[in-house]
Amino acid sequence: MPTLSGRAVPDGERAPSGPARPAPYLIEPEHADVVNAALHLRRPLLVTGSPGTGKSSLARAIAHEMDLGEVLRWPVNSRSTVQDALYRYDAIGRLRETALTRDRGEAEPDIGSFVRLGPLGTALVPGERPRVLLVDELDKGDVDLPNDLLTVFEEGEFEIPELARLPEEQSVVEVLTERAGERATVRRGRLVCEEFPVVVITSNGERDFPPAFLRRCVRLELPTPDESRLRAIVTAHLGDDALEDVDQLLDAFLRRRAARELATDQLLNAVFLRAGGMDVTADGLLEAVLHRLGGAV
């Protein structure tokens, strides 16, 4: 398994100015060591920290540095289920298409065209290299979701009952995946993982997770960037010139962050506007850029 180096690596996102180069991701050597431990142990990496500390971007940085392709993202909400993240079956669409083809005297459409793997299911598709799965804001999901997710990772396989019930002559089915234009082979209704995916799970610390789930994850707490690190982030994203005349903005950001929750990309937006000649010292504009992340708007 390749490792992540403790240096600035692209995270796959664009800087605020939208240049062709991807924005870099700054990671401390000790944090890179934790990431590498999760990779070698083949365990999910549970990343916690305040909003804007780079939790989600870490998955893209890992995928880029290790050349593992596009990140599969599963944004979790209160209605999310592991079943939906594994696959979706369009039974109504298949029924409609079957009726139409029968009316035209044509062969019935293949069932695989109506089964699409979700981000979790696609992450388990066998391949030469592991895939990167970002489970974003797991703490927003149902209380049972972490353990349900862990069960899938421990088993490394799952069943699609709609395909398992097919006769033997139809036991091999090509289904759609989360990635456009890609198909995966499912045999006898089961998809079995060969290479454990690189799993990055983010949490904003809104609630506690079950002990069994925590024991099986490698945990990484990303600290809130201090002034020196903020300057390094600004330089990495916007260049050395962006640091000119940035002291006032940085002081305003740090002062406001001490009283309420702010994200680092809000500072980048303010610096970018300043570099473009906009007067971000005006109270109204500064408040619009450095608005709080929680509570009533």
Side-chain angles (χ1 to χ4, degrees):
M1 175 69 71
T3 58
L4 184 71
S5 61
R7 58 183 177 83
V9 296
D11 71 0
E13 290 186 328
R14 300 292 182 187
S17 57
R21 64 177 180 84
Y25 186 91
L26 298 180
I27 185 169
E28 298 293 340
E30 61 268 26
H31 297 155
D33 289 341
V34 176
V35 174
N36 290 329
L39 296 175
H40 286 287
L41 292 173
R42 289 172 171 77
R43 291 194 174 191
L45 178 68
L46 176 60
V47 187
T48 57
S50 302
T53 52
K55 299 186 298 296
S56 300
S57 297
L58 178 58
R60 291 186 285 270
I62 293 172
H64 184 278
E65 176 151 321
M66 299 180 180
D67 194 23
L68 297 180
E70 180 185 358
V71 173
L72 298 162
R73 181 172 178 264
W74 177 23
V76 176
N77 58 51
S78 60
R79 299 180 301 277
S80 296
T81 66
V82 167
Q83 179 64 48
D84 290 338
L86 287 173
Y87 79 96
R88 297 176 298 277
Y89 173 55
D90 185 6
I92 295 177
R94 185 189 181 202
L95 182 63
R96 181 176 60 250
E97 289 298 318
T98 299
L100 290 174
T101 54
R102 285 176 178 174
D103 290 342
R104 295 193 296 262
E106 301 172 355
E108 294 185 8
D110 180 58
I111 188 175
S113 299
F114 303 95
V115 177
R116 181 178 294 277
L117 302 181
L120 176 56
T122 303
L124 298 174
V125 171
E128 295 181 358
R129 296 176 64 80
R131 300 166 187 246
V132 180
L133 172 66
L134 170 62
V135 183
D136 213 5
E137 298 188 330
L138 182 61
D139 42 5
K140 289 187 176 180
D142 183 78
V143 65
D144 293 326
L145 189 60
N147 283 337
D148 293 341
L149 179 62
L150 191 61
T151 298
V152 174
F153 287 142
E154 289 184 336
E155 294 179 352
E157 61 181 79
F158 66 96
E159 183 183 70
I160 302 177
E162 292 83 358
L163 303 184
R165 293 193 291 264
L166 295 175
E168 182 64 27
E169 60 270 18
Q170 301 178 35
S171 61
V172 179
V173 180
E174 297 287 321
V175 301
L176 305 171
T177 76
E178 185 79 0
R179 292 176 172 172
E182 181 186 66
R183 285 182 172 266
T185 301
V186 180
R187 291 178 170 81
R188 294 182 174 84
R190 298 198 70 82
L191 193 148
V192 182
C193 172
E194 293 180 355
E195 192 69 44
F196 185 79
V198 176
V199 181
V200 177
I201 302 173
T202 71
S203 167
N204 289 329
E206 296 179 1
R207 66 175 175 83
D208 295 330
F209 293 120
F213 174 79
L214 293 176
R215 284 199 307 270
R216 290 167 174 81
C217 293
V218 176
R219 303 175 67 177
L220 172 62
E221 173 75 24
L222 291 181
T224 301
D226 58 15
E227 180 177 348
S228 61
R229 185 163 180 81
L230 286 173
R231 290 181 181 275
I233 291 173
V234 169
T235 300
H237 282 253
L238 302 175
D240 293 330
D241 293 342
L243 284 179
E244 296 180 5
D245 198 26
V246 78
D247 292 346
Q248 184 183 14
L249 283 178
L250 189 56
D251 289 342
F253 176 82
L254 292 171
R255 185 174 62 254
R256 289 166 180 253
R257 194 181 68 179
R260 59 194 185 187
E261 208 168 60
L262 294 178
T264 304
D265 59 355
Q266 291 174 284
L267 173 63
L268 290 174
N269 289 335
V271 176
F272 171 68
L273 291 175
R274 165 69 65 81
M278 188 170 290
D279 181 14
V280 293
T281 58
D283 289 340
L285 183 56
L286 192 61
E287 178 63 30
V289 176
L290 300 183
H291 61 84
R292 62 180 179 176
L293 300 180
V297 178

